[in-house]
Amino acid sequence: MEVAARAALDALFAPRGIAVVGASRTASKLGAVMARSLQRFPGYLALVNARDPEMHASVRDAARVGPVDLAVICVPAPASAATVAEAADAGARAALVCGGGFAEIGPEGEQHQRALAAVAARTGIRLLGPNTSGFLVPARGLTASFVPGVSDVPAGRVAVVAASGGVNHALAFLLTEAGHGVSLAVGLGNGVDLTTPDVLEHLADDPDTTAVALHVESVADGPRLAAAVARLARTRPVVALVVGRHDIGAFARSHTGALATSWRTTRAALAQAGAVLVDDERELVDAAGALSLARLPAAADPGVGVVTGQAGPGLLLLDDLRGRAARVPELGGGARSALADVLPPLTYQCNPVDTGRPGPGFDRVLGAVADDPGIDLVAGYALHEPAAFDLVGAVDAFRATRPGVPLLLGVGGAGPEVARTRRALLDRGVPVAGDPRGLAAMTGALLADARARHRAGAPAHCARPTAVVPGPGPWDEDQVKGLLDLLGVPTMPRRACPDRAAAHRALAELPGAVAVKMLDAAVLHKTEIGGVHLGVGSTGQLDAALDALEAGGARRFLVESMAPAGVDLVVGARRDPVFGPLVLVGLGGTTAEALADVALRLAPLDPAEAAAMPGELAGRALLDGWRGGPVLDRQALAAVVVALGDLLHAHPQLDEIEINPLRLTVDGLVALDAVCLATDPEVTRGHSDQ
């Protein structure tokens, strides 16, 4: 982060002095609440209210007494812009605008918000908000929040960066309950000036933060957000919760547009940048808390050793880990031999290791599992049974001999003794959960982070120069497939026919039965108007198909050899309005939309990254020879995906290019249907159907 930019955010999060503008003696007013919240601040605190003779008349007056880096604005929305401008003129470098009444209420509020933005742009003051409940930095005694009880949140290693002030505080409380606390917790509110990337860039150099819990509702600048996450994730793990799983936008004219929702695209972009994705706030707390204490080396597929004191919870843990694609390898002979010296013969000793009931020697069990060459971290679960064994003592003994092996624990139970045990483990740097699901979430987070950094270590892919010139459009089906031919994507033999005579010649020349289609760039979905006839094998069938097409208005025809049976995929590249070019792989046809079983990446991308995309599909078994079917060549698919992404990246006039279906046959991949859309909304959009 640039020195000037860091200094500006230091003025917000590490100010020497604060002025509360609009401070009040009325306990219920925002200015009074903020003044109370800031009472523990050890620096200079000034209360500003021109109508109260015992307070400062202005920020400038307050600045004559002590330094004012941060102005906390507690005035109505119509007066906020002028108040921020006065604070900036008095030397304040940052402002927090907590109140509402801005863009969230409609046109009148939007006017006030635009005025705030203009002041920030003109003066250079960095502005957090408006419409936020504030932020807190416990280690500095700084609680710039009007939420009761937030001053009790302790200092910790996790930074919370949330779109919502309410979510920010909810996560801070959950992290406190989990025994972690926060280094910084900030709610961005309407984000008129400071946005998520600004705070992430600030945290990249923060020595007090070892992990970041990120809450995302919407994204204004996709590439900048992805770049900020990528930079931060190199040194501090980022765990992201993206809101909007069930968003449904206007139906796009292609499958790629329909499936690449903002939620899926944002998650894909953040994961590609190195973030660990979670599905709810509890998992966010478990994952960020664990990663604040432990981090695996970068690895393609780390192995997990599971040790459980009770079989039932162990099965829950194992099942959850399998759902997270965790590798739980069977232990080798050396580990099993060591375990046999400690455990009764009837216990399961292969991985997971079930001790039956934990007792003395638990540290030796952990050690035997950790020593196996296939194990990179150990996840253990046990009920709290102090009469049976000393769990904390066992952990101390294990870590004394194997300090480099990450250990995560689940400790079941209730009451003050259990809380003290969990606290003792956290104090030793051991992530701890209260149940198998929490332990699985912690373990999955460490695995996902290690895999992401392994991918980040691969050479960056730059879009390859392409000699393919798509032109301005519109494109009919034959022209779109001509583009695919130039890109090296296989298609079936075909003929574009200007009249019936040409169609009859094509039937005679092309191998096998054919598909006969209306060829018109202005018709988007030909199947819906009877514009496609399949399995045509005789002149009589061809004449019947041509009669029907001409009755529907067709003047040109496409005659194409029928493809063999296989498994259909959809592969597309689309220019996202927030993140830019992206690529998509999923199951083809209507299945893609019904199940939303897709993988997304930002383009351009590396072939290895593209080859990994099918592995994310729930239906990936269909691509691996299901019931004797064809087996996908992932490198061949990657070549198609990369080519489409590179084409879109190289040609700004293209909005989207899609193949649906791209059929997997015994002879390889073949494109049966294609769509190419131009960015200019006035350009007619071409589509092909089979």
Side-chain angles (χ1 to χ4, degrees), residues 519-536:
L519 191 58
D520 188 338
V523 178
L524 302 178
H525 298 284
K526 293 186 287 293
T527 54
E528 296 177 3
I529 61 170
V532 178
H533 294 261
L534 304 177
V536 174

Side-chain angles (χ1 to χ4, degrees), residues 46 171 317:
L171 291 173
L317 172 60

Side-chain angles (χ1 to χ4, degrees), residues 94-112:
L96 166 63
V97 182
C98 292
F102 294 90
E104 74 279 1
I105 69 166
E108 181 181 354
E110 289 176 0
Q111 178 182 351
H112 301 321

